[in-house]
Amino acid sequence: MTTATHSPDSTPELMLRLGAQAKTAAAQMAQASAAQKNQALRSLARLLRSNVDALAVHNAQDIERAQAAGLAAPMVDRLRLTPQVLETCAQGCEQLAVMPDIIGEIMGMKQQPSGIRVGQMRVPIGVFGMIYESRPNVTIEAASLSIKSGNACILRGGSEALASNQALAALVVQALEEAGLPAHGVQLVPTTDRAAVGALITMPQFVDVIIPRGGKGLIERISAEAKVPVIKHLDGNCHTYVDDPCDLDMAVTVTDNAKTQKYSPCNASESLLVARGVAADFLPRIGAVFAAKGVEMRVCPASKALLASVPGATLADATEDDWSAEYLAPIISIKVVDGLEAAIAHINRYSSGHTEAILTRDHLHAQRFLREVDSSSVMVNASTRFADGFEYGLGAEIGISTDKFHARGPVGIEGLTSLKYVVLGEGQVRR
Amino acid sequence: MTTATHSPDSTPELMLRLGAQAKTAAAQMAQASAAQKNQALRSLARLLRSNVDALAVHNAQDIERAQAAGLAAPMVDRLRLTPQVLETCAQGCEQLAVMPDIIGEIMGMKQQPSGIRVGQMRVPIGVFGMIYESRPNVTIEAASLSIKSGNACILRGGSEALASNQALAALVVQALEEAGLPAHGVQLVPTTDRAAVGALITMPQFVDVIIPRGGKGLIERISAEAKVPVIKHLDGNCHTYVDDPCDLDMAVTVTDNAKTQKYSPCNASESLLVARGVAADFLPRIGAVFAAKGVEMRVCPASKALLASVPGATLADATEDDWSAEYLAPIISIKVVDGLEAAIAHINRYSSGHTEAILTRDHLHAQRFLREVDSSSVMVNASTRFADGFEYGLGAEIGISTDKFHARGPVGIEGLTSLKYVVLGEGQVRR
């Protein structure tokens, strides 16, 4: 029996080697044909389905270790690679495979007064580094987006999911090789040494952008220490504003969905603003819905007065901190505002810039809200829960950017690309 | 007589005040109508023309001080606000005024399976900080781009141009106010204290992006210390590759232009690669042109053999450093390569990623060069000197980005904007 041995690299040496390999692979990935990339994605889908049992064995190691370490049950659940989770991953790969290839697309080609024609070609960014926590299916999401976008990537998953991630990464390598693509196109960091993260975010010679997915603390630390650009996904303090005039049946349905369809996602509404003119009609109705679902309401004095008589309502006085809070829980802050201007001002002051919705019948109010609210997604008459790469038709999502620089909002393939200028001439010179 | 006094702010206090004012102004600039912004640009053009004499008085102070300080004549020349320089600035403002306003444009609106319609709206970045050196006309270029793009900006010009810049900034403020726009939309840092730069690049709460224009040392220092994204313009080691087959008359004309039309711009070619198959015909011809213009040639052995007999040629053996050099001077490195693959490999190894041109008759070679060369501008049969915002039809240019992130190549109005998602529904909820 042979025992697999690790290379004797120290972690910094290991990361430099991964970086150099990624950079070499990136040049090949950038030149890959659409057919090759799509073949790799379809192979990956097939391998995920045909290895459900083998993956379960590796996954069980992670789960046993997590349970032995006393990880909370919801955290253990996030580790599970169930057949359903794997089928979703496989379908995601197949969906990407049928999407058009945007790499090499040339747009906006226009002739200039000098006679040269100038346009822009969409090209991969190069190498991205992804740092994420427990859920191992993120390995497949990141790998498939990397393949489709013609980038190379270095993936650093959570240490508690290492066995699962290594098993998944081996399938990715097999899929790449079946399609004639470089095995180093997608690399998983094979160590749980925390120094790997520090190295990954400080190799500008090899890594073009870092995408962290995880808690706010992780992302702030990475942003502070990175020597390359970071696509940041900070908190989602999303607002739903019920305007005057508004269809109140619709407003109840949409506000309910925005808060309660799921409590943990970043695009769930954490704060409800209600125009004074509709508050007396609207608040008791939505309050009854929240009361029935056990949603605690952190209320301003005006909303308190209107909600006090709702049977079973859990009310608390909102503090200044509530207006900025991302609860990710059955809690919502509620405030009565004078109208559109006050709502926009409140949002632009307290929001994290993720997603905000106005529910209104007034066209001018809708237009002003879209234009003036400074968030990555602005919505009219829709649930904030729609802020998502799949719902937006991006095919997949590598994260949601709350930055304004480069990519903003759900980041799909396009966010992993860059535009270079293409100039076509017939011997023109500058005068 | 009253003596103008500075506020008692320390530099850090001053910068925080400018930052807070910029952020407030940015919200107003973002909402400004196209008509207001264009009126401000036309007012600025008028004010520049009607204040030629007054500006000359302020400019003379800077020039006298620079001459007294023993500044070299070319540096002093860069400070001069001649009537011609001012007329060019005025025309630039007028050109921007007639360009379409891209702020608020909504693109790609498509219905998704849930029924919501999703598109993206172009919005200003917010506040940009610009750090630049001697030429005071950059003050007007930056101010006019800021106005058109609906951003606010904080400008930090060279200390040697402070009097000129303050006089120009006063006209910008007047133009903003004539159009009903906030006076703090464009602010010039009124101190030469170097601590102002350190403060400007570390105020993420107020400043969204920093654009440095100047030497490589300045830009590297700013990139290393900034706490906000930087649009970097590092060096321009641009290549012209003469392919086989190629129209050699065209190649001589374009190569000559790329190197000698001006020596100092970043888009001048610093390195010439020649396919072996055309080298014996081409190199003596371009060598004679360079010899006649006093351009020193740093040559590989193969090109040395072909250039040795050119009368008056100044030849030197190229060192490894020459392949990476940005001379900004009458010097060019020359290498004979086996063909397209070798040219692309050389460029991707040594180039600074600014601009590269292939001169060819071969369609497949042209396509591969465009796709595989990893630079911000890639050209076929045109002079690298065209890599410029005006020549590309951007209306103006705030800089040339050698980064891949956010903006790449010449950066015009679009590079100062961001896209936010817009979602339109009729009460849809997430299932």
Side-chain angles (χ1 to χ4, degrees):
Chain A
M1 196 182 88
T2 328
T3 311
T5 53
H6 268 292
S7 83
D9 281 358
S10 70
T11 296
E13 283 167 355
L14 165 71
M15 295 309 293
L16 288 172
R17 183 164 57 79
L18 294 185
Q21 288 169 177
K23 191 160 173 97
T24 302
Q28 300 166 265
M29 293 297 293
Q31 306 317 324
S33 68
Q36 276 182 298
K37 292 185 282 188
N38 295 339
Q39 188 197 324
L41 291 167
R42 281 189 297 261
S43 292
L44 182 53
R46 175 178 50 74
L47 290 167
L48 289 169
R49 291 194 178 105
S50 62
N51 284 277
V52 167
D53 295 339
L55 289 166
V57 174
H58 295 282
N59 189 229
Q61 295 171 13
D62 287 333
I63 289 170
E64 279 163 33
R65 207 172 32 230
Q67 285 169 333
L71 224 65
M75 292 297 287
V76 173
D77 281 343
R78 299 180 75 182
L79 282 175
R80 285 185 205 279
L81 283 178
T82 63
Q84 193 195 344
V85 166
L86 291 169
E87 178 59 27
T88 303
C89 286
Q91 286 178 12
C93 293
E94 288 171 339
Q95 283 168 15
L96 280 174
V98 297
M99 287 181 69
D101 191 354
I102 61 171
I103 298 303
E105 174 188 11
I106 296 181
M107 59 199 84
M109 186 63 70
K110 291 194 185 76
Q111 194 179 50
Q112 301 302 324
S114 63
I116 60 172
R117 281 161 295 141
V118 180
Q120 286 179 294
M121 182 191 287
R122 191 171 289 286
V123 293
I125 286 264
V127 176
F128 69 87
M130 178 125 176
I131 297 160
Y132 51 105
E133 293 174 340
S134 42
R135 295 188 308 121
N137 45 319
V138 175
T139 302
I140 298 299
E141 291 175 21
S144 58
L145 273 167
S146 182
I147 292 168
K148 185 73 182 189
S149 60
N151 286 287
C153 67
I154 300 175
L155 306 179
R156 160 65 186 216
S159 55
E160 66 284 5
L162 186 63
S164 309
N165 284 336
Q166 287 188 308
L168 290 168
L171 300 183
V172 174
V173 169
Q174 192 179 334
L176 287 167
E177 289 180 333
E178 284 182 13
L181 293 173
H184 293 145
V186 176
Q187 297 179 98
L188 181 80
V189 177
T191 169
T192 59
D193 183 356
R194 287 173 64 93
V197 173
L200 181 58
I201 66 177
T202 53
M203 306 195 292
Q205 70 276 36
F206 297 131
V207 176
D208 295 290
V209 58
I210 291 289
I211 305 169
R213 260 168 72 166
K216 194 174 175 181
L218 170 81
I219 292 166
E220 285 179 339
R221 187 172 60 82
I222 285 171
S223 303
E225 294 171 12
K227 301 273 185 229
V228 295
V230 177
I231 294 182
K232 283 192 282 293
H233 177 168
L234 290 171
D235 43 347
N237 173 25
C238 302
H239 293 73
T240 296
Y241 166 56
V242 179
D243 190 35
D244 176 15
C246 181
D247 174 336
L248 294 188
D249 289 344
M250 182 270 281
V252 170
T253 307
V254 173
T255 304
D256 174 25
N257 183 266
K259 179 67 225 177
T260 74
Q261 194 249 351
K262 267 193 181 177
Y263 295 114
S264 60
C266 57
N267 56 19
S269 282
E270 304 289 18
S271 199
L272 170 63
L273 304 177
V274 183
R276 199 171 300 282
V278 298
D281 289 334
F282 175 72
L283 274 176
R285 292 184 59 187
I286 193 70
V289 172
F290 287 155
K293 297 191 176 181
V295 176
E296 178 186 341
M297 293 169 261
R298 307 266 175 98
V299 294
C300 72
S303 45
K304 189 177 186 179
L306 294 166
L307 288 163
S309 58
V310 174
T314 309
L315 301 181
D317 292 329
T319 66
E320 179 71 10
D321 285 349
D322 280 304
W323 307 127
S324 307
E326 183 186 32
Y327 302 117
L328 305 176
I331 308 171
I332 190 165
S333 65
I334 302 180
K335 186 175 189 180
V336 173
V337 295
D338 284 339
L340 180 75
E341 301 241 354
I344 293 174
H346 179 95
I347 291 170
N348 284 341
R349 173 163 179 196
Y350 292 105
S351 168
S352 61
H354 190 298
T355 299
E356 333 292 342
I358 183 174
L359 311 182
T360 188
R361 289 196 73 96
D362 187 302
H363 179 69
L364 293 182
H365 288 190
Q367 294 298 112
R368 282 197 57 195
F369 189 89
L370 291 177
R371 177 96 186 237
E372 298 180 23
V373 169
D374 188 22
S375 294
S376 76
S377 287
V378 285
M379 303 185 166
V380 177
N381 295 339
S383 166
T384 56
R385 287 279 292 115
F386 280 115
D388 174 291
F390 288 96
E391 295 291 341
Y392 283 5
L394 306 184
E397 171 187 294
I398 196 101
I400 295 184
S401 167
T402 51
D403 273 336
K404 293 186 194 180
F405 205 68
H406 187 68
R408 193 174 187 190
V411 180
I413 296 162
E414 213 173 281
L416 297 172
T417 67
S418 155
L419 296 172
K420 70 180 176 190
Y421 280 97
V422 168
V423 177
L424 303 179
E426 296 89 27
Q428 281 85 353
V429 295
R430 182 94 179 256
R431 303 293 170 192
Chain B
M1 197 183 85
T2 328
T3 310
T5 52
H6 269 292
S7 83
D9 281 356
S10 70
T11 296
E13 284 167 355
L14 165 72
M15 295 309 293
L16 288 172
R17 183 163 57 78
L18 295 185
Q21 288 169 177
K23 189 155 174 103
T24 303
Q28 300 166 266
M29 293 297 293
Q31 306 316 325
S33 69
Q36 275 181 300
K37 292 185 281 189
N38 296 338
Q39 187 197 327
L41 290 167
R42 282 190 295 262
S43 292
L44 181 52
R46 175 179 49 75
L47 290 166
L48 288 169
R49 291 195 179 105
S50 62
N51 283 278
V52 167
D53 294 341
L55 289 167
V57 174
H58 294 282
N59 189 229
Q61 295 170 13
D62 287 332
I63 290 172
E64 278 163 33
R65 205 170 34 229
Q67 285 170 331
L71 224 65
M75 293 297 288
V76 173
D77 281 344
R78 299 180 73 183
L79 282 175
R80 285 185 206 280
L81 283 179
T82 63
Q84 194 196 340
V85 166
L86 291 169
E87 177 58 27
T88 303
C89 286
Q91 287 179 11
C93 293
E94 288 171 339
Q95 284 167 16
L96 280 174
V98 297
M99 287 181 70
D101 191 354
I102 61 173
I103 299 302
E105 174 187 10
I106 296 181
M107 60 199 85
M109 186 65 70
K110 292 194 185 75
Q111 195 179 48
Q112 301 301 325
S114 62
I116 59 172
R117 280 162 296 141
V118 180
Q120 286 179 294
M121 182 191 287
R122 192 170 290 286
V123 293
I125 287 263
V127 176
F128 69 88
M130 179 128 176
I131 298 160
Y132 50 105
E133 293 175 339
S134 41
R135 294 187 308 122
N137 43 318
V138 174
T139 302
I140 297 300
E141 291 175 21
S144 57
L145 273 166
S146 182
I147 293 168
K148 185 74 183 188
S149 60
N151 287 287
C153 66
I154 300 175
L155 307 178
R156 161 64 185 217
S159 56
E160 66 283 5
L162 186 62
S164 309
N165 284 335
Q166 287 189 306
L168 290 168
L171 299 183
V172 173
V173 169
Q174 191 179 336
L176 286 167
E177 290 179 333
E178 283 182 13
L181 293 173
H184 292 144
V186 176
Q187 297 179 97
L188 181 79
V189 176
T191 166
T192 59
D193 183 355
R194 287 173 64 93
V197 173
L200 181 58
I201 66 178
T202 53
M203 306 195 294
Q205 70 276 38
F206 297 132
V207 175
D208 296 288
V209 58
I210 291 288
I211 305 169
R213 261 168 72 166
K216 194 174 175 180
L218 170 81
I219 292 166
E220 285 180 338
R221 187 171 62 81
I222 285 171
S223 303
E225 295 171 13
K227 301 271 184 229
V228 294
V230 177
I231 295 182
K232 282 192 282 293
H233 177 169
L234 289 170
D235 42 347
N237 172 25
C238 302
H239 293 72
T240 295
Y241 165 56
V242 179
D243 190 34
D244 176 15
C246 180
D247 175 336
L248 295 188
D249 289 344
M250 182 270 281
V252 170
T253 307
V254 173
T255 304
D256 174 26
N257 183 267
K259 179 67 224 176
T260 73
Q261 195 247 352
K262 265 193 180 176
Y263 295 114
S264 60
C266 56
N267 56 17
S269 281
E270 304 290 19
S271 198
L272 170 64
L273 303 177
V274 183
R276 199 171 300 282
V278 299
D281 288 336
F282 175 72
L283 275 176
R285 292 183 59 186
I286 193 70
V289 172
F290 287 156
K293 295 190 176 182
V295 176
E296 178 186 341
M297 293 168 262
R298 307 264 175 98
V299 294
C300 73
S303 46
K304 189 177 186 180
L306 294 166
L307 288 163
S309 60
V310 172
T314 308
L315 302 181
D317 292 330
T319 65
E320 180 70 10
D321 285 349
D322 279 303
W323 306 127
S324 307
E326 182 186 33
Y327 302 117
L328 305 177
I331 308 173
I332 190 166
S333 66
I334 302 180
K335 186 175 190 181
V336 173
V337 294
D338 284 339
L340 180 75
E341 301 241 355
I344 293 174
H346 179 95
I347 290 170
N348 283 342
R349 174 162 178 197
Y350 291 105
S351 168
S352 61
H354 190 298
T355 298
E356 333 292 342
I358 183 174
L359 311 181
T360 188
R361 288 197 73 96
D362 187 301
H363 179 68
L364 294 181
H365 288 190
Q367 293 300 110
R368 283 197 56 193
F369 189 90
L370 290 178
R371 176 96 186 237
E372 297 180 24
V373 169
D374 188 22
S375 293
S376 76
S377 287
V378 285
M379 303 185 166
V380 176
N381 296 337
S383 167
T384 56
R385 287 279 293 114
F386 280 115
D388 173 291
F390 287 96
E391 294 292 340
Y392 282 6
L394 306 184
E397 171 188 295
I398 197 102
I400 295 183
S401 168
T402 50
D403 273 336
K404 293 186 193 180
F405 205 68
H406 187 68
R408 194 174 186 188
V411 180
I413 296 162
E414 214 173 279
L416 296 173
T417 67
S418 156
L419 296 173
K420 69 179 176 190
Y421 280 97
V422 169
V423 176
L424 302 180
E426 297 88 29
Q428 281 86 354
V429 296
R430 182 91 179 258
R431 301 293 169 193

